Amino acid sequence: DVQLQASGGGLVQAGGSLRLSCAASGFSFESHTIGWFRQAPGKEREGIACISSSDSSEYSVEQWKGRFTISSDNAKNMLYLQMNNLKPEDTAVYYCAAERGGTAWPCRPRIMDYWGQGTLVTVSS
């Protein structure tokens, strides 16, 4: 079974940093596109960044470039999201997800096939 377990969320002050982790099992990173998404209260789920090992592509949504960085350790089936200079509007549930095949772009929630349970990030002002 495919499983995705996000962790690392919590309460942080504005300007602080967090590193989210996603432990994946039941599939190979080499044949899937994996990424980070978030859903803020009252808003739709949105993509942050995705990585595809099949075509060595990486895509980060423009609005988070410079603050959020995606990385992966394929040998460990781990996905990471480094978040810096956090703002109160970054408060959301953060999810990792995987798509069979695919490419890093467009990194949209609708095309992902598997989802983890999410980890809550709360940024206080």
Side-chain angles (χ1 to χ4, degrees):
D1 291 348
V2 172
Q3 291 189 354
L4 296 154
Q5 181 78 33
S7 62
L11 176 63
V12 62
Q13 288 188 333
S17 298
L18 279 177
R19 188 192 194 206
L20 304 184
S21 299
C22 175
S25 61
F27 68 98
S28 170
F29 277 22
E30 302 298 331
S31 59
H32 288 68
T33 295
I34 49 178
W36 287 100
F37 301 79
R38 77 180 199 181
Q39 188 163 16
K43 295 187 177 180
E44 293 186 354
R45 195 169 298 186
E46 55 188 347
I48 298 172
C50 289
I51 290 177
S52 176
S53 295
S54 61
D55 65 355
S56 300
S57 64
E58 181 177 323
Y59 173 73
S60 294
V61 177
E62 187 67 31
Q63 66 190 93
W64 287 297
K65 287 182 179 178
R67 292 201 299 128
F68 293 0
T69 304
I70 190 172
S71 62
S72 67
D73 184 335
N74 288 12
K76 296 181 180 179
N77 265 29
M78 292 293 295
L79 182 69
Y80 305 99
L81 183 68
Q82 178 67 41
M83 305 188 295
N84 298 325
N85 190 24
L86 284 162
K87 304 175 181 180
E89 52 264 41
D90 293 322
T91 294
V93 178
Y94 286 73
Y95 301 88
C96 53
E99 176 195 6
R100 294 185 295 270
T103 61
W105 182 87
C107 198
R108 291 177 182 165
R110 291 182 181 179
I111 62 176
M112 306 309 283
D113 297 306
Y114 307 106
W115 290 87
Q117 87 294 351
T119 185
L120 176 63
V121 173
T122 303
V123 184
S124 63
S125 57

